[in-house]
Amino acid sequence: MAELIDKIAWIHVVDRRLLVARSAGRELFYVPGGKREAGESDAETLVREIGEELGVRIDPASAVHRLTVEAPADARPDSRVVRLTCYTADHAGDVAPSREIEEIAWLGSADADRVSPANRLVLEHLREADLVD
């Protein structure tokens, strides 16, 4: 069995659109977040990754698990699966792309072709919950 890629992500919806980010050199968008470092909790990973990617401070006490999805990892020649554990959380500061992020966007369910397979599941979940258009 291929190694599981364990990622933590931030679900941030404004005006019925989901915040997504695209890394330099990538074609598809992803829900902001990333891989945990050794010994990190989900909340610690969320705070660190979102701070690095978007320059905002996540309030770890406000983090609420929203959903966990698994899907084939994007752009991987092996058959790895990504597990995306998604949280909502309050934040301070203005969302802005960091040096590792080339672009941010606000997407709805009609934009599913612009995101990775795991992120399509996130968009579908949010549409079914009537949180995004």
Side-chain angles (χ1 to χ4, degrees):
M1 182 174 183
E3 180 183 337
L4 184 72
I5 301 169
D6 178 32
K7 290 189 170 186
I8 306 301
W10 183 41
I11 301 293
H12 185 53
V13 175
V14 174
D15 296 330
R16 300 186 59 81
R17 297 280 186 237
L18 174 65
L19 174 65
V20 293
R22 186 175 58 78
S23 300
R26 292 296 193 111
E27 189 174 319
L28 296 176
F29 286 89
Y30 299 84
V31 177
K35 297 176 190 173
R36 82 176 72 238
E37 292 182 355
E40 274 186 332
S41 68
D42 286 6
E44 290 167 332
T45 303
L46 188 68
V47 168
R48 178 182 54 76
E49 284 287 345
I50 301 309
E52 289 173 1
E53 291 185 2
L54 301 173
V56 297
R57 292 175 309 283
I58 294 292
D59 174 6
S62 70
V64 175
H65 178 260
R66 179 70 201 192
L67 77 152
T68 300
V69 298
E70 290 185 9
D74 178 54
R76 297 296 297 238
D78 55 20
S79 52
R80 288 190 187 187
V81 169
V82 64
R83 175 183 295 145
L84 196 58
T85 305
C86 303
Y87 290 85
T88 57
D90 296 334
H91 73 284
D94 295 324
V95 172
S98 71
R99 66 181 181 277
E100 67 185 62
I101 301 299
E102 191 165 295
E103 180 182 9
I104 60 172
W106 297 89
L107 304 181
S109 59
D111 300 303
D113 61 329
R114 298 178 65 193
V115 300
S116 72
N119 287 264
R120 284 185 201 118
L121 296 174
V122 172
L123 272 174
E124 180 180 313
H125 168 83
L126 295 173
R127 181 186 50 78
E128 289 174 357
D130 198 31
L131 296 173
V132 299
D133 290 325

